[in-house]
Amino acid sequence: MIGIGRERVPEMEATEDLTQQALDKLAIMELPARYMRGLDRLDRDLLRAQFWDDAWMDYGIYTGGADGFADFCMEALSSHVRNHHIIGQNLVEIDGDQAYGEVYFQAYHRIVGEEGEERDVVIAGRYVDRYQKRAGIWKFAYRSEVVDWARDDPAADAFLAGSGNIWGERKPDDSLYQRDAMKRPAS
């Protein structure tokens, strides 16, 4: 810590406090991003790693601990053709080694309907979270999902068939995991 002699400069303390708060908020705001990647790529280990072992979830359709939640999500999403979760506003209030947050989301699910037709289901809402910092690491201690609206429509992207677009896949087939392909080809 920078100070003059043995005394600290108050402005330096305030700057260090603000810097630590910004670093804490950044670490907390990465949790939902990794959570969403875990869902979209069906990466159970990544999803599960965002929660403390004693974390508690209440989604209405699932209430319980972190291991059961990760299993529930993988089972629920495994029959989907694809998923795409988007994070919106992410507000965090830090109170020492505990923090509270509200994260807006939209969750897109390509599913196969009862008659074999592809459907687009979109669920939008907010996550209401409590985070804890233990040994310098932030993770979810509590997470709930509040649904604000939802849609279920016939799939509407047939016009892209044969377009050559690169489609999102599950781990390990998604482009995200193909690091060697992220280089310019040799000429």
Side-chain angles (χ1 to χ4, degrees), residues 51-87:
F51 295 92
W52 292 114
D53 289 343
D54 59 350
W56 190 253
M57 272 58 70
D58 186 358
Y59 279 56
I61 59 173
Y62 175 87
T63 301
D67 286 315
F69 179 71
D71 293 339
F72 170 80
C73 290
M74 294 302 105
E75 184 177 325
L77 300 176
S78 66
S79 66
H80 295 186
V81 176
R82 68 180 38 88
N83 302 101
H84 185 89
H85 292 79
I86 300 172
I87 299 170

Side-chain angles (χ1 to χ4, degrees), residues 102-119:
E102 178 186 47
V103 181
Y104 282 65
F105 74 89
Q106 287 187 8
Y108 163 80
H109 307 284
R110 171 60 59 85
I111 64 167
V112 178
E114 292 179 13
E115 297 180 18
E117 79 286 8
E118 289 192 347
R119 302 202 53 84

